[in-house]
């Protein structure tokens, strides 16, 4: 028997804490006279990506029938969290990382805005097209089907691609040699350690269908092959 889908109130509750944290971080930066345009852009981008994930994935997920990675997956996810959230929060709210700070140029900020806009769009489309098959770890769900529609028609891993674009925007927004590139470095490590296992799992689950699909698509960029 499936669970009832989360109510709108439950979804709102999941968003209250992150929004409150963003307001507190912005307040601390403002109090210290350090609330820059880049910081505001980063916080807005982070809240948009979180809202997309909560709103689209709040549908009742299908039961998990297979998972791989175990403890390594949990560690990698925390590492990405450190790169994309914890270190930026420390940089915004405290002076601890000021020794690695610099002032991003207007060009960098403009590039960051363009990257953020595209990355958030691709992130939204990836979640929308994948639906209830999404999982933060390497899992297959009951009745799992190979999704080849929408952005998945051209890319096998558009969500990774979206996150790489978003973390590149982070590097443009945050004028800090540690907190800025931390997201893309952490995400890159997760991708390198996970992607072969993920594709192997999909190949074992979908066989020839996956082989044909992989032959006509690219991992992060569209393939020239038809």
């Amino acid at each position: 028997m499936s669970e009832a889908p989360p109510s709108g109130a439950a979804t709102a509750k999941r968003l209250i804490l992150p929004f409150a944290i963003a307001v507190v971080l912005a307040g601390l930066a403002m109090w210290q006279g350090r609330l820059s345009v880049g910081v505001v852009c980063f916080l807005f981008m982070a809240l948009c990506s979180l809202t997309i994930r909560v709103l689209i994935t709040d549908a009742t997920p299908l039961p998990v029938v297979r998972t791989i990675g175990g403890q390594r997956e949990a560690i990698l996810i925390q590492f990405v969290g450190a790169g994309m959230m914890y270190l930026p929060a420390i940089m915004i709210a405290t002076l601890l990382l000021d020794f690695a700070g610099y002032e991003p140029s207007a060009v960098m900020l403009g590039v960051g805005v363009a990257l953020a806009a595209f990355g958030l769009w691709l992130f939204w489309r990836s979640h929308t097209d994948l639906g209830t098959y999404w999982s933060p770890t390497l899992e297959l769900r009951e009745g799992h089907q190979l999704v080849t529609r929408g952005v998945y028609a051209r890319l096998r891993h558009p969500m990774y691609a979206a996150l790489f674009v978003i973390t590149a925007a982070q590097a443009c927004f945050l004028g800090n040699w540690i907190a800025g590139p931390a997201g893309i470095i952490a995400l890159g490590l997760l991708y390198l350690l996970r992607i072969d296992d993920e594709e192997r799992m999909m190949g074992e689950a979908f066989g020839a269908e996956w082989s044909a699909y992989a032959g006509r698509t690219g991992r992060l960029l569209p393939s020239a092959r038809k």
Side-chain angles (χ1 to χ4, degrees):
M1 183 175 180
S2 61
E3 299 176 2
S7 65
T11 298
K13 286 180 179 178
R14 291 183 62 192
L15 291 171
I16 288 174
L17 180 59
F19 273 77
I21 291 173
V23 170
V24 170
L25 289 174
L28 288 171
M30 183 180 296
W31 177 59
Q32 300 174 77
R34 305 167 67 245
L35 185 62
S36 65
V37 173
V39 166
V40 172
C41 289
F42 170 78
L43 290 174
F44 180 75
M45 177 180 70
L47 289 175
C48 285
S49 61
L50 177 68
T51 301
I52 289 169
R53 175 152 286 178
V54 169
L55 292 179
I56 295 179
T57 64
D58 241 5
T60 303
L62 299 168
V64 174
V65 296
R66 184 186 177 190
T67 183
I68 61 175
Q71 187 64 29
R72 188 193 71 171
E73 281 290 296
I75 293 172
L76 286 173
I77 289 173
Q78 287 301 313
F79 189 65
V80 172
M84 294 183 68
M85 295 183 293
Y86 309 148
L87 282 174
I90 291 170
M91 174 238 155
I92 293 169
T94 75
L95 306 177
L96 294 176
L97 298 180
D98 277 12
F99 67 91
Y102 65 90
E103 187 68 29
S105 67
V107 172
M108 283 185 67
L109 293 175
V111 171
V113 169
L115 289 172
F118 176 69
L120 289 170
W121 172 83
L122 185 58
F123 193 64
W124 167 72
R125 281 300 309 270
S126 300
H127 272 300
T128 301
D129 294 336
L130 193 60
T132 54
Y133 297 136
W134 177 79
S135 174
T137 57
L138 297 183
E139 296 176 340
L140 288 174
R141 298 189 177 275
E142 188 176 281
H144 206 119
Q145 296 180 2
L146 182 62
V147 176
T148 61
R149 62 181 177 273
V151 291
Y152 289 87
R154 302 294 303 278
L155 301 176
R156 298 199 295 283
H157 304 286
M159 203 168 300
Y160 287 123
L163 288 172
F164 273 118
V165 176
I166 287 171
T167 52
Q170 172 183 327
C172 292
F173 289 146
L174 299 182
N176 190 278
W177 293 111
I178 296 176
I184 201 166
I185 292 171
L187 180 65
L189 179 63
L190 177 140
Y191 177 82
L192 290 173
L193 293 178
R194 174 193 271 187
I195 194 63
D196 288 339
D197 289 340
E198 185 167 345
E199 295 218 327
R200 189 179 304 110
M201 180 179 71
M202 299 297 284
E204 292 171 355
F206 299 108
E209 184 183 8
W210 170 263
S211 297
Y213 173 65
R216 66 177 184 269
T217 56
R219 281 182 171 178
L220 300 177
L221 297 172
S223 172
R225 294 172 292 182
K226 300 293 184 179

